[in-house]
Amino acid sequence: GFLSAHVVYERSATFLTTLGAGLGAGAVRLYRSPGERVWDALLLNGGPRPTLRRMPRICAKLNSSMASGFPMRFAARLVLVFALFSLIPPAHAAFIPIQANPDSGKVLIDVPAWNQPFLMVATLENALGSNDIGLDRAANGNPLLVEFRRVGQKAFLVQRNTAFVADSSDPDEARAAKDAFAESVLWAGPIQAGTPARVDISALLLADWVGVAERLQATEQGSYRLDGERSSVVPDEARSFPDNSDFTALLTFTGPGQGPFVQQIAANPQILSVKQRISFVRLPAAGFTPRAYHPASGGYSIGRYDFAQPISSNIDVRLQPRFRLQKTDPNAARSTVVQPIVFYLDRGTPEPIRSALLERANWWGEAFEAAGFIGGFRAELAPPGMSMSDARYNTITWTHRATRGWSYGGG
């Protein structure tokens, strides 16, 4: 294809060997313009691979310039610059575009789609440090299935009720179950004037989504309230990626400070300040098949009440939480995987525990290999700067507490 049409450029060993031998021995008897010869030289010397869209246009420019006496060495440099620009990958669209204003202390977003569900996850970036209270660093609350809805010039963030469903192909049957149980409006706010879907979600971010006050009350540490004057969104820490958008807020709680656990761990037991991270996460693509929970699996279950079950069946349907681990060859007993399961170990883990945890965690790789998933699992040390609260990653977190605790796992 390359020699006959001057269209396809590849870096394969076969192509480069053939091209080099053909050009060097004069065996290639077709016309090569000056611009095309520059591309040949770049490829043979390890230069960048040009894109098909830009190559003909750039070559035409070079041919015109060289015909008018433009020096070859400058042409080669020029085409290298063009080629490098052509290699820059396109910017990935943010899941939810963010307009953060550090001066006003507000965070605005452009709602990408109305009535489109996604996950909302709340996590503690830093926490209390008490084993007994249990509000640990990087601890996250239950994920909520939410969506933005619009009524006139007002936006609503609505939590769907996923506990009661009718998993049926009959839309009327499914709607009957949906309408029988209440949803929850988590937040509401006006749509900014002159914009199609821009809203200020600062008030949403300043709510206690992890349940700090509730947990303090449950562990008999007293009645704490969120202090709005000493709480703030952190606009500089708002980030958006292709599949998730993250927001951070400083939350300060005030209370009596008389509980033994808060007295043990807080700088001032009457004033407890933590950082909360809210993640909006895109739902995964279709194609995942739920697996029924089996008590002998050794795992835990999640469930829902499914009113579309046969009258003789239990409507409490339990499912097995699991990863979407797929073989590249689904029919093979042993196969490489489409995307491995990767866990990242907290860089704050001290030695020799760090090395021991990495070694032992990677033992799971042997189990996946034995089950036929080649390269299906691995554990790595987290890269520098990675947050243990980042929803994009599976993590093994090292959490310090004021008293001795235990290790545990969860999903």
Side-chain angles (χ1 to χ4, degrees):
F2 168 81
L3 294 180
S4 61
H6 318 300
V7 175
V8 180
Y9 280 78
E10 292 293 345
R11 275 193 182 178
S12 68
T14 301
F15 164 75
L16 292 178
T17 301
T18 303
L19 178 62
L23 292 177
V28 180
R29 298 296 183 185
L30 76 165
Y31 173 72
R32 303 293 289 155
S33 69
E36 290 165 335
R37 289 201 300 272
V38 172
W39 286 117
D40 295 341
L42 285 170
L43 283 169
L44 289 170
N45 289 280
R49 170 181 174 174
T51 63
L52 299 181
R53 180 175 62 85
R54 296 189 179 196
M55 184 271 288
R57 185 168 68 252
I58 297 174
C59 283
K61 290 282 187 182
L62 285 171
N63 294 338
S64 175
S65 298
M66 291 177 188
S68 61
F70 194 74
M72 184 73 168
R73 64 180 181 273
F74 293 119
R77 292 176 182 172
L78 179 62
V79 77
L80 179 59
V81 171
F82 274 110
L84 288 174
F85 272 108
S86 73
L87 291 176
I88 299 175
H92 293 291
F95 174 45
I96 295 181
I98 298 173
Q99 308 293 330
N101 190 331
D103 294 332
S104 65
K106 295 183 179 297
V107 171
L108 288 74
I109 64 170
D110 293 319
V111 177
W114 303 105
N115 307 310
Q116 186 68 37
F118 58 93
L119 293 178
M120 172 176 157
V121 183
T123 310
L124 285 180
E125 283 275 278
N126 63 345
L128 296 184
S130 169
N131 182 67
D132 301 278
I133 296 175
L135 293 169
D136 290 326
R137 165 178 171 258
N140 57 275
N142 292 324
L144 309 178
L145 186 64
V146 301
E147 62 185 50
F148 283 106
R149 298 177 189 171
R150 178 172 184 166
V151 180
Q153 291 303 306
K154 198 169 186 179
F156 296 84
L157 183 66
V158 181
Q159 178 186 353
R160 289 189 178 186
N161 192 334
T162 58
F164 303 95
V165 301
D167 190 4
S168 171
S169 59
D170 183 344
D172 293 323
E173 184 181 9
R175 180 64 180 266
K178 177 179 180 295
D179 291 346
F181 300 93
E183 297 178 319
S184 300
V185 175
L186 305 181
W187 167 88
I191 298 172
Q192 299 286 304
T195 69
R198 182 166 296 175
V199 294
D200 181 353
I201 62 167
S202 301
L204 168 69
L205 305 178
L206 288 171
D208 178 16
W209 294 109
V210 176
V212 174
E214 181 181 354
R215 185 63 183 172
L216 290 167
Q217 183 78 43
T219 53
E220 301 180 350
Q221 301 308 295
S223 178
Y224 281 77
R225 293 184 178 182
L226 186 61
D227 186 342
E229 290 299 317
R230 284 180 275 190
S231 300
S232 175
V233 175
V234 185
D236 290 337
E237 296 186 20
R239 300 286 186 272
S240 198
F241 307 96
D243 293 319
N244 63 294
S245 299
D246 294 347
F247 313 90
T248 303
L250 173 68
L251 305 182
T252 298
F253 298 84
T254 57
Q258 297 174 353
F261 303 143
V262 292
Q263 288 186 353
Q264 182 184 41
I265 52 89
N268 183 333
Q270 295 179 325
I271 306 170
L272 306 176
S273 297
V274 297
K275 288 179 76 173
Q276 175 183 259
R277 184 188 189 117
I278 300 296
S279 298
F280 293 162
V281 184
R282 188 194 304 274
L283 293 181
F288 181 79
T289 303
R291 178 176 297 167
Y293 171 72
H294 195 289
S297 66
Y300 64 98
S301 69
I302 58 175
R304 58 186 182 176
Y305 292 97
D306 184 0
F307 294 97
Q309 291 294 309
I311 195 69
S312 59
S313 300
N314 191 347
I315 64 171
D316 184 6
V317 178
R318 311 306 299 178
L319 302 174
Q320 177 73 63
R322 64 189 182 96
F323 288 88
R324 183 184 290 197
L325 187 63
Q326 299 171 303
K327 293 180 177 179
T328 53
D329 183 356
N331 299 317
R334 290 176 51 80
S335 170
T336 55
V337 298
V338 175
Q339 183 175 348
I341 300 170
V342 182
F343 271 80
Y344 293 93
L345 176 63
D346 194 341
R347 295 183 69 88
T349 308
E351 290 288 7
I353 300 172
R354 175 192 289 189
S355 297
L357 282 175
L358 277 176
E359 179 185 354
R360 271 52 169 187
N362 276 300
W363 284 355
W364 279 103
E366 300 175 13
F368 280 87
E369 294 269 353
F373 296 90
I374 301 173
F377 179 94
R378 69 176 185 270
E380 301 176 355
L381 186 64
M386 173 183 158
S387 170
M388 291 291 102
S389 303
D390 196 320
R392 295 174 294 171
Y393 306 109
N394 307 305
T395 60
I396 304 171
T397 305
W398 182 257
T399 300
H400 293 282
R401 298 180 179 130
T403 56
R404 293 286 185 177
W406 51 86
S407 62
Y408 63 92

